Amino acid sequence: MSSLTTPSLSPAARLRGLKPDWLADPKVWRTEVLAGLVVALALIPEAISFSVIAGVDPALGLFASFTMAVTIAVVGGRRAMISAATGAVALVIAPLNREHGLGHLVAAVILAGLFQVVLGALGVAKLMRFIPRSVMVGFVNSLAVLIFMAQVPEMRDVPWAVYPLIAGGLALMVLFPRITTAVPAPLVSIVILTAITVGAAIAVPTVGDKGTLPSSLPAPGLPDVPFTLDTLTTIAPYAFAMALVGLMESLMTAKLVDDITDTPSNKTRESVGQGIANIVTGFFGGMGGCAMIGQTMINVKVSGARTRLSTFLAGAFLMVLCVAFGPIVSDIPMAALVAVMVMVSFATFDWHSVAPGTLRRMPAGEIAVMVITVVCVVATHNLAIGVVVGSVTAIVVFARRVARFADVTSVTGPDGATVVHRVTGELFFASSNDLVGRFDYANDPDHVVIDLSAAHIWDASSVAALDAIGAKYARRGKTVEITGLNDPSARLHGRLTGELAAEH
């Protein structure tokens, strides 16, 4: 008798199998390194702008982007996703900084991180499955609109030379990949436009005009606040709001990257990782953050990054560029970065979703949900609000659609003493409320059969409706027999019938 055996791998072969992709393949390593550099350059003006929104020194936004990216690269659940200081978080914590000072802001960032760790451990990521596709499409499209709108101020009241620089940057990013994809086109565009503006001494807005770059690395420390119950009650509402907004944007971005890369991610690990990253950021005096959708699209969709290395290097390069090459980075024209972000916005938008053919085939309710999501996000500049409103709208649309499928057909027996009402469809709060009015209580015979073999009872409202129907018949001296219940419906009905207040 013979047997098949699997040859054992040598220790060296096993070690090679444990190597990450970027270490095993030089081509992947090059892609990840260059992607991290491009993202780092794009992070600088964004982090400075968000610092202004939060009312803090630009260095705090840059420190937050550094610590968030480096930490999430290790503890996060979605590879190649970029986390840094964001506008949504800045909007949430700005009032706290304005009213109570920087110490309370930093303490709130740490507490928000703790909230995120707890929420992640409790399984908040599982709620993502309740977000419908129409909301996801609206989220993506509104994101693209917001990215583009954020560039508009950089194109107003500027020297005329800005416009040809932006056009040139866009042309480079469209045409350069036809020559080679070995180097990311955004990096080539940034380098060439910077060389042109510096070499020709063209006076245009630069990164240095956004704020002073830090000259040293951040140092850890505790927030400068009294550790009292009063401090906790002051920062807790802001921290909880920041935790929710940060988790929602991060999980939505992770799902988007899942779809783009056709790879799964651990949403629970990502939720906990966001919390850990914010805790670390708070202890280093940063303003906190979450997943950055625009920079993630640069990393994943434009630059082709797929591993944690690009995320780690985006944060590391950010500090190196600021501390060691601050004067050079300060000379980068904003037009170059605007061109990159405009290209990202066009690449992010789901153009198929607004094509005439798609709109003709899509149900009106689905289109309405997508439009409402986009409008809410663009109006509030808050992706979380748009997702919540869109999801609630989708639930209402779904409930109305399903409620219409509940129907009643009636057949009277040959002797006229019995009538069978056959109920079809899903019985829940929206459909069962109308069910009570579908029967002829006065004219039906004395024996009434309600056949539910083609229906399903989902909630207490449906049981209460059936009790109300039985009570209406009983007041007229008629008996009701309910038949055909499937096992789950029978268990729910048996547990609740007679225990709920029926209509009298």
Side-chain angles (χ1 to χ4, degrees):
M1 184 175 72
S2 63
S3 62
L4 295 175
T5 59
T6 302
S8 60
L9 297 175
S10 66
R14 284 199 299 269
L15 186 60
R16 284 196 299 271
L18 294 174
K19 286 184 179 180
D21 293 342
W22 56 266
L23 193 58
D25 188 343
K27 186 176 180 180
V28 173
W29 182 85
R30 184 183 64 234
T31 298
E32 299 297 311
V33 171
L34 293 176
L37 180 57
V38 174
V39 172
L41 290 169
L43 276 173
I44 293 173
E46 294 275 300
I48 295 174
S49 298
F50 297 147
S51 301
V52 174
I53 293 174
V56 299
D57 188 273
L60 298 187
L62 293 165
F63 289 159
S65 296
F66 162 60
T67 53
M68 287 291 298
V70 168
T71 305
I72 206 68
V74 178
V75 301
R78 172 64 259 178
R79 293 183 299 171
M81 190 167 77
I82 305 297
S83 291
T86 59
V89 168
L91 288 170
V92 171
I93 60 177
L96 178 64
N97 180 62
R98 187 167 55 248
E99 296 170 15
H100 299 281
L102 179 61
H104 282 74
L105 181 151
V106 173
V109 170
I110 297 172
L111 183 59
L114 291 172
F115 281 143
Q116 288 176 328
V117 170
V118 172
L119 290 170
L122 292 175
V124 70
K126 294 178 182 177
L127 297 176
M128 285 297 296
R129 62 185 175 182
F130 295 107
I131 298 178
R133 182 185 179 279
S134 53
V135 174
M136 191 67 192
V137 173
F139 169 83
V140 171
N141 289 346
S142 57
L143 157 67
V145 173
L146 286 184
I147 292 174
F148 183 83
M149 289 176 61
Q151 312 314 310
V152 173
E154 303 296 337
M155 294 184 276
R156 289 178 179 165
D157 302 321
V158 293
W160 68 267
V162 167
Y163 303 110
L165 286 172
I166 294 175
L170 292 171
L172 280 169
M173 283 183 284
V174 171
L175 299 175
F176 189 78
R178 299 181 183 180
I179 301 172
T180 179
T181 57
V183 181
L187 179 59
V188 174
S189 176
I190 291 170
V191 171
I192 291 177
L193 293 186
T194 302
I196 291 173
T197 54
V198 172
I202 301 175
V204 292
T206 64
V207 170
D209 296 331
K210 288 289 183 180
T212 304
L213 302 182
S215 57
S216 61
L217 294 174
L222 294 174
D224 184 17
V225 292
F227 292 91
T228 62
L229 182 61
D230 182 59
T231 299
L232 181 62
T233 56
T234 299
I235 66 175
Y238 296 96
F240 192 65
M242 174 184 164
L244 292 179
V245 169
L247 280 182
M248 185 170 294
E249 291 210 18
S250 298
L251 293 175
M252 290 291 286
T253 306
K255 190 174 186 302
L256 179 60
V257 177
D258 290 351
D259 294 339
I260 292 172
T261 62
D262 197 25
T263 57
S265 61
N266 188 329
K267 304 298 190 302
T268 298
R269 178 178 173 180
E270 182 61 37
S271 302
V272 174
Q274 287 289 329
I276 295 173
N278 271 305
I279 292 171
V280 171
T281 297
F283 281 120
F284 276 91
M287 57 177 277
C290 61
M292 286 198 79
I293 307 168
Q295 273 65 21
T296 297
M297 290 300 100
I298 293 175
N299 196 45
V300 173
K301 202 165 186 177
V302 179
S303 301
R306 293 292 183 272
T307 77
R308 298 178 184 274
L309 180 63
S310 58
T311 305
F312 179 88
L313 289 179
F317 281 148
L318 174 66
M319 277 294 98
V320 171
L321 289 170
C322 291
V323 175
F325 300 100
I328 297 174
V329 173
S330 296
D331 286 337
I332 295 175
M334 284 302 300
L337 299 176
V338 169
V340 171
M341 298 310 294
V342 168
M343 180 62 72
V344 168
S345 71
F346 275 90
T348 302
F349 196 91
D350 186 351
W351 296 101
H352 177 72
S353 67
V354 295
T358 304
L359 295 176
R360 280 195 300 270
R361 288 188 293 268
M362 286 282 287
E366 301 273 332
I367 297 173
V369 169
M370 180 181 70
V371 171
I372 287 172
T373 303
V374 172
V375 170
C376 287
V377 171
V378 173
T380 63
H381 284 241
N382 191 318
L383 291 161
I385 291 176
V387 170
V388 171
V389 173
S391 297
V392 171
T393 305
I395 292 171
V396 173
V397 170
F398 174 77
R400 286 177 57 86
R401 185 184 303 161
V402 175
R404 295 173 186 160
F405 292 133
D407 194 20
V408 179
T409 56
S410 304
V411 178
T412 304
D415 57 358
T418 302
V419 63
V420 178
H421 296 294
R422 181 178 172 83
V423 180
T424 59
E426 308 299 322
L427 299 183
F428 65 112
F429 62 90
S431 58
S432 59
N433 289 335
D434 295 332
L435 189 65
V436 179
R438 304 293 294 275
F439 299 90
D440 190 354
Y441 301 99
N443 298 318
D444 275 351
D446 291 342
H447 185 217
V448 178
V449 177
I450 300 177
D451 181 7
L452 297 176
S453 57
H456 187 96
I457 298 176
W458 287 103
D459 59 7
S461 296
S462 303
V463 177
L466 292 172
D467 285 352
I469 293 167
K472 283 179 175 289
Y473 278 116
R475 286 202 303 269
R476 293 168 174 80
K478 302 174 182 180
T479 60
V480 175
E481 179 185 359
I482 296 177
T483 64
L485 288 170
N486 58 36
D487 289 343
S489 298
R491 286 195 296 270
L492 181 62
H493 183 265
R495 188 168 68 248
L496 296 179
T497 186
E499 302 296 328
L500 305 170
E503 184 180 332
H504 297 290

